CSV table of all heavy atoms in Angstrom, one decimal:
chain,number,residue,atom,x,y,z
A,283,MET,N,0.9,-1.2,0.0
A,283,MET,CA,0.0,0.0,0.0
A,283,MET,C,0.9,1.3,0.0
A,283,MET,O,1.8,1.3,0.8
A,283,MET,CB,-0.9,0.0,1.3
A,283,MET,CG,-2.2,0.5,1.0
A,283,MET,SD,-3.3,0.2,2.5
A,283,MET,CE,-4.8,0.1,1.7
A,284,LYS,N,0.6,2.2,-0.9
A,284,LYS,CA,1.4,3.4,-1.0
A,284,LYS,C,0.9,4.4,0.0
A,284,LYS,O,-0.2,4.4,0.5
A,284,LYS,CB,1.2,3.9,-2.4
A,284,LYS,CG,1.7,2.9,-3.5
A,284,LYS,CD,2.8,3.4,-4.2
A,284,LYS,CE,3.2,2.4,-5.2
A,284,LYS,NZ,4.5,2.7,-5.8
A,285,LYS,N,1.8,5.4,0.2
A,285,LYS,CA,1.5,6.5,1.2
A,285,LYS,C,0.3,7.3,0.8
A,285,LYS,O,-0.6,7.6,1.6
A,285,LYS,CB,2.7,7.4,1.3
A,285,LYS,CG,2.6,8.4,2.4
A,285,LYS,CD,3.9,9.1,2.6
A,285,LYS,CE,3.8,10.2,3.7
A,285,LYS,NZ,5.0,10.9,3.8
A,286,GLN,N,0.1,7.6,-0.5
A,286,GLN,CA,-1.0,8.3,-1.0
A,286,GLN,C,-2.3,7.6,-0.8
A,286,GLN,O,-3.3,8.2,-0.5
A,286,GLN,CB,-0.9,8.7,-2.5
A,286,GLN,CG,0.3,9.6,-2.8
A,286,GLN,CD,1.5,8.9,-3.3
A,286,GLN,OE1,1.5,7.6,-3.4
A,286,GLN,NE2,2.6,9.6,-3.5
A,287,GLU,N,-2.3,6.3,-1.0
A,287,GLU,CA,-3.5,5.5,-0.8
A,287,GLU,C,-3.9,5.5,0.7
A,287,GLU,O,-5.1,5.5,1.0
A,287,GLU,CB,-3.2,4.0,-1.3
A,287,GLU,CG,-3.0,3.9,-2.7
A,287,GLU,CD,-2.5,2.5,-3.1
A,287,GLU,OE1,-2.4,1.6,-2.2
A,287,GLU,OE2,-2.3,2.2,-4.3
A,288,ILE,N,-3.0,5.4,1.6
A,288,ILE,CA,-3.2,5.4,3.0
A,288,ILE,C,-3.8,6.7,3.5
A,288,ILE,O,-4.7,6.7,4.2
A,288,ILE,CB,-2.0,5.0,3.8
A,288,ILE,CG1,-1.5,3.6,3.4
A,288,ILE,CG2,-2.2,5.1,5.3
A,288,ILE,CD1,-0.1,3.2,4.0
A,289,LYS,N,-3.3,7.8,2.9
A,289,LYS,CA,-3.7,9.1,3.3
A,289,LYS,C,-5.2,9.3,3.0
A,289,LYS,O,-5.9,10.1,3.7
A,289,LYS,CB,-2.9,10.2,2.7
A,289,LYS,CG,-1.6,10.4,3.4
A,289,LYS,CD,-0.9,11.7,2.8
A,289,LYS,CE,0.3,12.0,3.7
A,289,LYS,NZ,1.0,13.2,3.2
A,290,LYS,N,-5.7,8.7,2.0
A,290,LYS,CA,-7.1,8.8,1.6
A,290,LYS,C,-8.1,8.1,2.4
A,290,LYS,O,-9.3,8.3,2.4
A,290,LYS,CB,-7.3,8.4,0.1
A,290,LYS,CG,-6.5,9.2,-0.9
A,290,LYS,CD,-6.7,8.7,-2.3
A,290,LYS,CE,-5.9,9.5,-3.3
A,290,LYS,NZ,-6.0,8.9,-4.6
A,291,LEU,N,-7.6,7.1,3.3
A,291,LEU,CA,-8.4,6.3,4.1
A,291,LEU,C,-8.9,7.0,5.3
A,291,LEU,O,-8.2,7.9,5.8
A,291,LEU,CB,-7.7,5.0,4.5
A,291,LEU,CG,-7.2,4.1,3.4
A,291,LEU,CD1,-6.4,3.0,4.0
A,291,LEU,CD2,-8.4,3.5,2.6
A,292,SER,N,-10.0,6.6,5.9
A,292,SER,CA,-10.5,7.2,7.1
A,292,SER,C,-9.8,6.4,8.3
A,292,SER,O,-9.2,5.4,8.1
A,292,SER,CB,-12.0,7.1,7.2
A,292,SER,OG,-12.4,5.7,7.3
A,293,LYS,N,-10.1,6.9,9.5
A,293,LYS,CA,-9.5,6.3,10.7
A,293,LYS,C,-10.0,4.8,10.8
A,293,LYS,O,-9.2,3.9,11.1
A,293,LYS,CB,-9.8,7.1,11.9
A,293,LYS,CG,-9.2,8.4,12.0
A,293,LYS,CD,-9.6,9.2,13.2
A,293,LYS,CE,-9.2,10.6,13.1
A,293,LYS,NZ,-9.7,11.4,14.2
A,294,ASP,N,-11.2,4.6,10.6
A,294,ASP,CA,-11.8,3.2,10.8
A,294,ASP,C,-11.2,2.3,9.7
A,294,ASP,O,-10.9,1.1,10.0
A,294,ASP,CB,-13.3,3.3,10.6
A,294,ASP,CG,-14.0,4.0,11.8
A,294,ASP,OD1,-13.4,4.0,12.9
A,294,ASP,OD2,-15.1,4.5,11.6
A,295,GLU,N,-11.1,2.8,8.5
A,295,GLU,CA,-10.5,2.0,7.5
A,295,GLU,C,-9.0,1.6,7.7
A,295,GLU,O,-8.6,0.5,7.5
A,295,GLU,CB,-10.6,2.7,6.1
A,295,GLU,CG,-12.0,2.8,5.6
A,295,GLU,CD,-12.1,3.7,4.3
A,295,GLU,OE1,-11.3,4.6,4.2
A,295,GLU,OE2,-13.0,3.4,3.6
A,296,ILE,N,-8.3,2.6,8.3
A,296,ILE,CA,-6.9,2.3,8.6
A,296,ILE,C,-6.8,1.3,9.7
A,296,ILE,O,-6.0,0.3,9.6
A,296,ILE,CB,-6.2,3.6,9.1
A,296,ILE,CG1,-6.0,4.6,7.9
A,296,ILE,CG2,-4.8,3.3,9.7
A,296,ILE,CD1,-5.5,5.9,8.3
A,297,LEU,N,-7.7,1.4,10.7
A,297,LEU,CA,-7.7,0.3,11.8
A,297,LEU,C,-8.0,-1.0,11.3
A,297,LEU,O,-7.4,-2.0,11.6
A,297,LEU,CB,-8.6,0.8,12.9
A,297,LEU,CG,-8.2,2.0,13.7
A,297,LEU,CD1,-9.4,2.4,14.6
A,297,LEU,CD2,-7.0,1.7,14.5
A,298,LYS,N,-9.0,-1.1,10.3
A,298,LYS,CA,-9.3,-2.4,9.7
A,298,LYS,C,-8.2,-3.0,8.9
A,298,LYS,O,-7.9,-4.2,9.0
A,298,LYS,CB,-10.6,-2.2,8.8
A,298,LYS,CG,-11.8,-2.0,9.6
A,298,LYS,CD,-13.0,-1.8,8.6
A,298,LYS,CE,-14.3,-1.5,9.4
A,298,LYS,NZ,-15.4,-1.2,8.5
A,299,ASN,N,-7.5,-2.1,8.2
A,299,ASN,CA,-6.3,-2.5,7.4
A,299,ASN,C,-5.2,-3.0,8.3
A,299,ASN,O,-4.5,-4.0,7.9
A,299,ASN,CB,-5.8,-1.4,6.4
A,299,ASN,CG,-6.7,-1.4,5.2
A,299,ASN,OD1,-7.2,-2.3,4.7
A,299,ASN,ND2,-6.8,-0.1,4.7
A,300,ILE,N,-5.0,-2.4,9.4
A,300,ILE,CA,-3.9,-2.8,10.3
A,300,ILE,C,-4.3,-4.2,10.8
A,300,ILE,O,-3.4,-5.1,10.9
A,300,ILE,CB,-3.8,-1.8,11.5
A,300,ILE,CG1,-3.1,-0.5,11.0
A,300,ILE,CG2,-2.9,-2.4,12.6
A,300,ILE,CD1,-3.1,0.6,12.1
A,301,ASP,N,-5.5,-4.4,11.2
A,301,ASP,CA,-5.9,-5.8,11.7
A,301,ASP,C,-5.7,-6.8,10.6
A,301,ASP,O,-5.2,-7.9,10.9
A,301,ASP,CB,-7.3,-5.8,12.2
A,301,ASP,CG,-7.5,-5.1,13.5
A,301,ASP,OD1,-6.5,-4.9,14.2
A,301,ASP,OD2,-8.7,-4.7,13.8
A,302,LYS,N,-6.1,-6.5,9.4
A,302,LYS,CA,-5.9,-7.4,8.2
A,302,LYS,C,-4.5,-7.7,8.0
A,302,LYS,O,-4.1,-8.9,7.8
A,302,LYS,CB,-6.6,-6.8,7.0
A,302,LYS,CG,-6.6,-7.7,5.8
A,302,LYS,CD,-7.1,-7.0,4.6
A,302,LYS,CE,-6.0,-6.9,3.7
A,302,LYS,NZ,-5.5,-6.2,2.7
A,303,PHE,N,-3.6,-6.8,8.0
A,303,PHE,CA,-2.2,-7.0,7.7
A,303,PHE,C,-1.5,-7.8,8.9
A,303,PHE,O,-0.6,-8.5,8.6
A,303,PHE,CB,-1.4,-5.7,7.4
A,303,PHE,CG,-1.7,-5.2,6.1
A,303,PHE,CD1,-2.3,-4.0,5.8
A,303,PHE,CD2,-1.2,-5.9,4.9
A,303,PHE,CE1,-2.5,-3.5,4.5
A,303,PHE,CE2,-1.4,-5.4,3.7
A,303,PHE,CZ,-2.1,-4.2,3.5
A,304,LYS,N,-2.0,-7.5,10.1
A,304,LYS,CA,-1.4,-8.3,11.2
A,304,LYS,C,-1.8,-9.8,11.1
A,304,LYS,O,-1.0,-10.6,11.4
A,304,LYS,CB,-1.9,-7.7,12.6
A,304,LYS,CG,-1.2,-6.5,13.0
A,304,LYS,CD,-1.6,-6.0,14.4
A,304,LYS,CE,-0.8,-4.8,14.8
A,304,LYS,NZ,-1.1,-4.4,16.2
A,305,LYS,N,-3.0,-10.1,10.7
A,305,LYS,CA,-3.4,-11.4,10.4
A,305,LYS,C,-2.6,-12.1,9.3
A,305,LYS,O,-2.2,-13.2,9.4
A,305,LYS,CB,-4.9,-11.5,10.1
A,305,LYS,CG,-5.8,-11.3,11.3
A,305,LYS,CD,-7.3,-11.3,10.9
A,305,LYS,CE,-8.1,-10.9,12.1
A,305,LYS,NZ,-9.5,-10.7,11.7
A,306,ASP,N,-2.4,-11.3,8.3
A,306,ASP,CA,-1.5,-11.8,7.1
A,306,ASP,C,-0.1,-12.1,7.6
A,306,ASP,O,0.5,-13.1,7.3
A,306,ASP,CB,-1.5,-10.8,6.0
A,306,ASP,CG,-2.8,-10.6,5.3
A,306,ASP,OD1,-3.7,-11.5,5.4
A,306,ASP,OD2,-2.9,-9.6,4.5
A,307,LEU,N,0.4,-11.2,8.5
A,307,LEU,CA,1.8,-11.4,9.0
A,307,LEU,C,1.9,-12.7,9.8
A,307,LEU,O,2.8,-13.4,9.8
A,307,LEU,CB,2.2,-10.2,9.8
A,307,LEU,CG,3.7,-10.1,10.3
A,307,LEU,CD1,4.6,-10.2,9.1
A,307,LEU,CD2,3.9,-8.9,11.1
A,308,PHE,N,0.8,-12.9,10.6
A,308,PHE,CA,0.7,-14.1,11.5
A,308,PHE,C,0.8,-15.3,10.6
A,308,PHE,O,1.5,-16.3,10.9
A,308,PHE,CB,-0.5,-14.0,12.3
A,308,PHE,CG,-0.7,-15.2,13.3
A,308,PHE,CD1,0.0,-15.2,14.4
A,308,PHE,CD2,-1.6,-16.2,13.0
A,308,PHE,CE1,-0.2,-16.3,15.3
A,308,PHE,CE2,-1.8,-17.2,13.8
A,308,PHE,CZ,-1.1,-17.3,15.0
A,309,ASN,N,0.0,-15.3,9.5
A,309,ASN,CA,0.0,-16.5,8.6
A,309,ASN,C,1.3,-16.7,7.9
A,309,ASN,O,1.7,-17.8,7.7
A,309,ASN,CB,-1.2,-16.3,7.6
A,309,ASN,CG,-2.5,-16.5,8.3
A,309,ASN,OD1,-2.7,-17.2,9.2
A,309,ASN,ND2,-3.5,-15.7,7.7
A,310,PHE,N,1.9,-15.6,7.5
A,310,PHE,CA,3.2,-15.7,6.8
A,310,PHE,C,4.3,-16.3,7.7
A,310,PHE,O,5.1,-17.1,7.3
A,310,PHE,CB,3.7,-14.3,6.4
A,310,PHE,CG,3.0,-13.7,5.2
A,310,PHE,CD1,2.8,-12.3,5.1
A,310,PHE,CD2,2.4,-14.5,4.2
A,310,PHE,CE1,2.2,-11.7,4.1
A,310,PHE,CE2,1.8,-13.9,3.2
A,310,PHE,CZ,1.6,-12.5,3.1
A,311,ARG,N,4.2,-16.0,9.0
A,311,ARG,CA,5.2,-16.6,9.9
A,311,ARG,C,5.0,-18.1,10.0
A,311,ARG,O,6.0,-18.9,10.1
A,311,ARG,CB,5.0,-16.0,11.3
A,311,ARG,CG,5.5,-14.6,11.4
A,311,ARG,CD,5.4,-14.1,12.8
A,311,ARG,NE,5.9,-12.7,12.9
A,311,ARG,CZ,5.3,-11.7,13.6
A,311,ARG,NH1,4.3,-12.0,14.4
A,311,ARG,NH2,5.8,-10.5,13.6
A,312,PHE,N,3.7,-18.6,10.0
A,312,PHE,CA,3.5,-20.0,10.0
A,312,PHE,C,4.0,-20.7,8.7
A,312,PHE,O,4.5,-21.8,8.7
A,312,PHE,CB,2.0,-20.4,10.3
A,312,PHE,CG,1.7,-20.4,11.7
A,312,PHE,CD1,1.0,-19.4,12.3
A,312,PHE,CD2,2.1,-21.5,12.5
A,312,PHE,CE1,0.7,-19.4,13.7
A,312,PHE,CE2,1.7,-21.5,13.9
A,312,PHE,CZ,1.0,-20.5,14.4
A,313,GLN,N,3.7,-20.0,7.6
A,313,GLN,CA,4.2,-20.5,6.3
A,313,GLN,C,5.7,-20.6,6.3
A,313,GLN,O,6.3,-21.5,5.7
A,313,GLN,CB,3.7,-19.6,5.2
A,313,GLN,CG,2.2,-19.7,4.9
A,313,GLN,CD,1.7,-18.7,3.9
A,313,GLN,OE1,2.5,-18.0,3.3
A,313,GLN,NE2,0.4,-18.7,3.6
A,314,LYS,N,6.4,-19.6,6.9
A,314,LYS,CA,7.8,-19.7,6.9
A,314,LYS,C,8.3,-20.8,7.7
A,314,LYS,O,9.3,-21.5,7.3
A,314,LYS,CB,8.4,-18.3,7.5
A,314,LYS,CG,9.8,-18.2,7.5
A,314,LYS,CD,10.3,-16.9,8.0
A,314,LYS,CE,11.8,-16.8,8.1
A,314,LYS,NZ,12.2,-15.6,8.7
A,315,ILE,N,7.7,-21.1,8.8
A,315,ILE,CA,8.1,-22.2,9.7
A,315,ILE,C,8.0,-23.6,8.9
A,315,ILE,O,8.8,-24.4,9.0
A,315,ILE,CB,7.3,-22.2,11.0
A,315,ILE,CG1,7.8,-21.1,11.9
A,315,ILE,CG2,7.6,-23.5,11.8
A,315,ILE,CD1,6.9,-20.8,13.1
A,316,ASN,N,6.9,-23.7,8.2
A,316,ASN,CA,6.6,-24.9,7.5
A,316,ASN,C,7.2,-25.0,6.1
A,316,ASN,O,6.9,-25.9,5.3
A,316,ASN,CB,5.0,-25.1,7.4
A,316,ASN,CG,4.4,-25.3,8.8
A,316,ASN,OD1,5.0,-25.9,9.6
A,316,ASN,ND2,3.2,-24.8,8.9
A,317,SER,N,8.0,-24.0,5.8
A,317,SER,CA,8.7,-23.9,4.5
A,317,SER,C,7.6,-23.9,3.3
A,317,SER,O,7.8,-24.4,2.3
A,317,SER,CB,9.6,-25.0,4.3
A,317,SER,OG,10.6,-25.0,5.2
A,318,GLN,N,6.5,-23.2,3.5
A,318,GLN,CA,5.5,-23.1,2.5
A,318,GLN,C,5.4,-21.7,1.8
A,318,GLN,O,4.7,-21.5,0.9
A,318,GLN,CB,4.1,-23.5,3.1
A,318,GLN,CG,4.0,-24.9,3.6
A,318,GLN,CD,2.7,-25.1,4.3
A,318,GLN,OE1,2.0,-24.2,4.7
A,318,GLN,NE2,2.3,-26.3,4.4
A,319,ILE,N,6.1,-20.8,2.4
A,319,ILE,CA,6.0,-19.4,1.8
A,319,ILE,C,6.7,-19.3,0.5
A,319,ILE,O,7.8,-19.8,0.2
A,319,ILE,CB,6.6,-18.4,2.8
A,319,ILE,CG1,6.2,-17.0,2.5
A,319,ILE,CG2,8.1,-18.5,2.9
A,319,ILE,CD1,6.3,-16.0,3.6
A,320,THR,N,6.0,-18.7,-0.5
A,320,THR,CA,6.5,-18.6,-1.8
A,320,THR,C,7.4,-17.3,-2.0
A,320,THR,O,8.3,-17.4,-2.8
A,320,THR,CB,5.4,-18.6,-2.9
A,320,THR,OG1,4.5,-17.5,-2.5
A,320,THR,CG2,4.6,-19.9,-2.9
A,321,ASN,N,7.0,-16.2,-1.3
A,321,ASN,CA,7.8,-15.0,-1.4
A,321,ASN,C,8.1,-14.4,0.0
A,321,ASN,O,7.3,-13.7,0.6
A,321,ASN,CB,6.9,-14.0,-2.2
A,321,ASN,CG,7.6,-12.7,-2.6
A,321,ASN,OD1,8.8,-12.6,-2.3
A,321,ASN,ND2,7.0,-11.8,-3.2
A,322,PRO,N,9.3,-14.7,0.4
A,322,PRO,CA,9.7,-14.3,1.8
A,322,PRO,C,9.7,-12.8,1.9
A,322,PRO,O,9.6,-12.3,3.1
A,322,PRO,CB,11.1,-14.9,2.0
A,322,PRO,CG,11.3,-15.8,0.9
A,322,PRO,CD,10.3,-15.5,-0.2
A,323,ALA,N,9.8,-12.0,0.9
A,323,ALA,CA,9.9,-10.6,0.9
A,323,ALA,C,8.5,-10.0,1.4
A,323,ALA,O,8.4,-8.9,1.8
A,323,ALA,CB,10.3,-10.0,-0.4
A,324,LYS,N,7.4,-10.8,1.3
A,324,LYS,CA,6.1,-10.4,1.7
A,324,LYS,C,6.1,-10.0,3.2
A,324,LYS,O,5.4,-9.2,3.6
A,324,LYS,CB,5.1,-11.5,1.4
A,324,LYS,CG,4.7,-11.6,0.0
A,324,LYS,CD,3.5,-10.6,-0.3
A,324,LYS,CE,2.9,-10.9,-1.6
A,324,LYS,NZ,1.9,-9.9,-1.9
A,325,ILE,N,6.9,-10.7,4.0
A,325,ILE,CA,6.9,-10.5,5.4
A,325,ILE,C,7.4,-9.1,5.7
A,325,ILE,O,6.8,-8.3,6.4
A,325,ILE,CB,7.8,-11.6,6.1
A,325,ILE,CG1,7.2,-12.9,6.0
A,325,ILE,CG2,8.0,-11.2,7.6
A,325,ILE,CD1,8.1,-14.1,6.4
A,326,THR,N,8.5,-8.7,5.1
A,326,THR,CA,9.1,-7.4,5.3
A,326,THR,C,8.2,-6.3,4.7
A,326,THR,O,7.9,-5.3,5.4
A,326,THR,CB,10.5,-7.3,4.6
A,326,THR,OG1,11.3,-8.3,5.0
A,326,THR,CG2,11.1,-6.0,4.9
A,327,GLU,N,7.6,-6.6,3.6
A,327,GLU,CA,6.7,-5.6,3.0
A,327,GLU,C,5.4,-5.4,3.9
A,327,GLU,O,5.0,-4.2,4.0
A,327,GLU,CB,6.2,-6.1,1.6
A,327,GLU,CG,5.3,-5.2,0.9
A,327,GLU,CD,4.9,-5.8,-0.5
A,327,GLU,OE1,5.7,-6.6,-1.1
A,327,GLU,OE2,3.7,-5.6,-0.9
A,328,THR,N,4.9,-6.5,4.5
A,328,THR,CA,3.8,-6.4,5.3
A,328,THR,C,4.1,-5.6,6.6
A,328,THR,O,3.3,-4.7,7.0
A,328,THR,CB,3.2,-7.8,5.7
A,328,THR,OG1,3.0,-8.5,4.5
A,328,THR,CG2,2.0,-7.7,6.5
A,329,LYS,N,5.3,-5.8,7.2
A,329,LYS,CA,5.7,-5.0,8.3
A,329,LYS,C,5.8,-3.6,8.0
A,329,LYS,O,5.4,-2.7,8.9
A,329,LYS,CB,7.1,-5.6,8.8
A,329,LYS,CG,7.0,-6.9,9.5
A,329,LYS,CD,8.4,-7.3,10.0
A,329,LYS,CE,8.5,-8.6,10.6
A,329,LYS,NZ,9.8,-9.0,11.1
A,330,LYS,N,6.3,-3.2,6.9
A,330,LYS,CA,6.5,-1.8,6.5
A,330,LYS,C,5.1,-1.1,6.3
A,330,LYS,O,4.9,0.0,6.6
A,330,LYS,CB,7.4,-1.7,5.3
A,330,LYS,CG,8.8,-1.9,5.6
A,330,LYS,CD,9.7,-1.8,4.3
A,330,LYS,CE,11.1,-2.0,4.6
A,330,LYS,NZ,11.9,-1.9,3.4
A,331,THR,N,4.2,-1.9,5.7
A,331,THR,CA,2.9,-1.4,5.5
A,331,THR,C,2.2,-1.1,6.8
A,331,THR,O,1.5,-0.1,6.9
A,331,THR,CB,2.0,-2.3,4.6
A,331,THR,OG1,2.7,-2.6,3.4
A,331,THR,CG2,0.7,-1.8,4.3
A,332,ILE,N,2.3,-2.0,7.7
A,332,ILE,CA,1.7,-1.8,9.1
A,332,ILE,C,2.3,-0.5,9.7
A,332,ILE,O,1.6,0.3,10.3
A,332,ILE,CB,1.9,-3.0,10.0
A,332,ILE,CG1,1.1,-4.2,9.5
A,332,ILE,CG2,1.6,-2.7,11.4
A,332,ILE,CD1,1.4,-5.5,10.1
A,333,ALA,N,3.6,-0.4,9.6
A,333,ALA,CA,4.3,0.8,10.1
A,333,ALA,C,3.7,2.1,9.5
A,333,ALA,O,3.5,3.1,10.2
A,333,ALA,CB,5.8,0.7,10.0
A,334,ARG,N,3.6,2.1,8.2
A,334,ARG,CA,3.0,3.2,7.5
A,334,ARG,C,1.6,3.6,7.9
A,334,ARG,O,1.3,4.7,8.2
A,334,ARG,CB,3.0,3.0,5.9
A,334,ARG,CG,4.3,3.1,5.3
A,334,ARG,CD,4.1,3.0,3.7
A,334,ARG,NE,5.4,2.7,3.1
A,334,ARG,CZ,5.7,1.5,2.6
A,334,ARG,NH1,4.9,0.5,2.6
A,334,ARG,NH2,6.9,1.4,2.1
A,335,LEU,N,0.8,2.5,8.1
A,335,LEU,CA,-0.6,2.8,8.5
A,335,LEU,C,-0.6,3.4,9.9
A,335,LEU,O,-1.3,4.3,10.2
A,335,LEU,CB,-1.3,1.4,8.5
A,335,LEU,CG,-1.7,0.9,7.2
A,335,LEU,CD1,-2.1,-0.6,7.3
A,335,LEU,CD2,-2.8,1.7,6.6
A,336,LYS,N,0.2,2.8,10.8
A,336,LYS,CA,0.3,3.4,12.2
A,336,LYS,C,0.8,4.8,12.2
A,336,LYS,O,0.3,5.6,13.0
A,336,LYS,CB,1.2,2.5,13.0
A,336,LYS,CG,0.5,1.2,13.4
A,336,LYS,CD,1.4,0.4,14.4
A,336,LYS,CE,0.7,-0.9,14.8
A,336,LYS,NZ,1.5,-1.6,15.8
A,337,THR,N,1.7,5.2,11.3
A,337,THR,CA,2.3,6.5,11.3
A,337,THR,C,1.2,7.5,10.9
A,337,THR,O,1.0,8.5,11.4
A,337,THR,CB,3.5,6.6,10.4
A,337,THR,OG1,4.5,5.6,10.8
A,337,THR,CG2,4.1,8.0,10.3
A,338,ILE,N,0.5,7.2,9.8
A,338,ILE,CA,-0.5,8.0,9.2
A,338,ILE,C,-1.7,8.1,10.3
A,338,ILE,O,-2.3,9.2,10.5
A,338,ILE,CB,-1.1,7.5,7.9
A,338,ILE,CG1,0.1,7.5,6.9
A,338,ILE,CG2,-2.3,8.3,7.4
A,338,ILE,CD1,0.6,8.8,6.5
A,339,LEU,N,-2.0,7.0,10.9
A,339,LEU,CA,-3.1,7.0,11.9
A,339,LEU,C,-2.7,8.0,13.1
A,339,LEU,O,-3.5,8.8,13.6
A,339,LEU,CB,-3.3,5.6,12.5
A,339,LEU,CG,-4.4,5.5,13.5
A,339,LEU,CD1,-5.8,5.9,13.0
A,339,LEU,CD2,-4.5,4.1,14.1
A,340,LYS,N,-1.5,7.9,13.5
A,340,LYS,CA,-1.0,8.8,14.6
A,340,LYS,C,-1.1,10.3,14.2
A,340,LYS,O,-1.6,11.1,15.0
A,340,LYS,CB,0.4,8.5,14.9
A,340,LYS,CG,1.0,9.2,16.1
A,340,LYS,CD,2.4,8.8,16.4
A,340,LYS,CE,3.0,9.6,17.6
A,340,LYS,NZ,4.4,9.2,17.8
A,341,GLY,N,-0.8,10.6,13.0
A,341,GLY,CA,-0.9,11.9,12.5
A,341,GLY,C,-2.4,12.4,12.4
A,341,GLY,O,-2.7,13.6,12.7
A,342,LYS,N,-3.3,11.5,12.0
A,342,LYS,CA,-4.7,11.9,12.0
A,342,LYS,C,-5.3,12.0,13.4
A,342,LYS,O,-6.2,12.8,13.5
A,342,LYS,CB,-5.5,10.8,11.2
A,342,LYS,CG,-5.2,10.8,9.7
A,342,LYS,CD,-6.2,9.9,9.0
A,342,LYS,CE,-5.9,10.1,7.5
A,342,LYS,NZ,-7.0,9.7,6.7
A,343,LEU,N,-4.8,11.3,14.3
A,343,LEU,CA,-5.4,11.4,15.7
A,343,LEU,C,-4.9,12.7,16.3
A,343,LEU,O,-5.7,13.3,17.1
A,343,LEU,CB,-4.9,10.2,16.6
A,343,LEU,CG,-5.5,8.8,16.2
A,343,LEU,CD1,-4.9,7.7,17.1
A,343,LEU,CD2,-7.0,8.8,16.4
A,344,ASN,N,-3.7,13.2,16.0
A,344,ASN,CA,-3.2,14.4,16.6
A,344,ASN,C,-3.8,15.6,15.9
A,344,ASN,O,-3.8,16.7,16.4
A,344,ASN,CB,-1.7,14.4,16.5
A,344,ASN,CG,-1.0,13.4,17.4
A,344,ASN,OD1,-1.6,13.0,18.4
A,344,ASN,ND2,0.2,13.0,17.1
A,345,ALA,N,-4.3,15.5,14.7
A,345,ALA,CA,-4.8,16.6,13.9
A,345,ALA,C,-6.2,16.9,14.3
A,345,ALA,O,-7.0,16.3,15.0
A,345,ALA,CB,-4.7,16.3,12.4
């Protein structure tokens, strides 16, 4: 998810996306343990997306 896409989202949508990406990250970890993951870079990408979402959410809460 790009920064411009995240900025267009409302607070509720950002929170829903954070939950969704956390679940995805949880599943990726299990896939990694079982050697079933096809693209290990997805783990890092998901972590960065969660961080972006949290950063934008923090800015919206303070504004």
Side-chain angles (χ1 to χ4, degrees):
M283 218 172 207
K284 302 242 180 195
K285 189 176 178 182
Q286 293 97 5
E287 295 172 359
I288 296 171
K289 281 188 172 184
K290 293 178 184 176
L291 299 175
S292 69
K293 293 176 189 174
D294 292 333
E295 290 172 331
I296 291 175
L297 291 172
K298 287 179 187 175
N299 279 327
I300 289 173
D301 287 341
K302 185 184 110 203
F303 282 115
K304 281 187 177 183
K305 288 177 186 174
D306 290 345
L307 187 60
F308 182 77
N309 290 329
F310 288 148
R311 287 183 183 143
F312 275 105
Q313 289 175 2
K314 183 179 177 184
I315 290 170
N316 295 327
S317 300
Q318 295 175 342
I319 194 161
T320 55
N321 188 1
K324 283 272 193 186
I325 295 172
T326 306
E327 182 182 327
T328 305
K329 286 180 182 180
K330 287 182 180 182
T331 303
I332 292 171
R334 282 188 198 106
L335 287 165
K336 286 184 175 183
T337 303
I338 298 296
L339 179 64
K340 185 178 178 183
K342 286 189 178 201
L343 292 176
N344 290 337

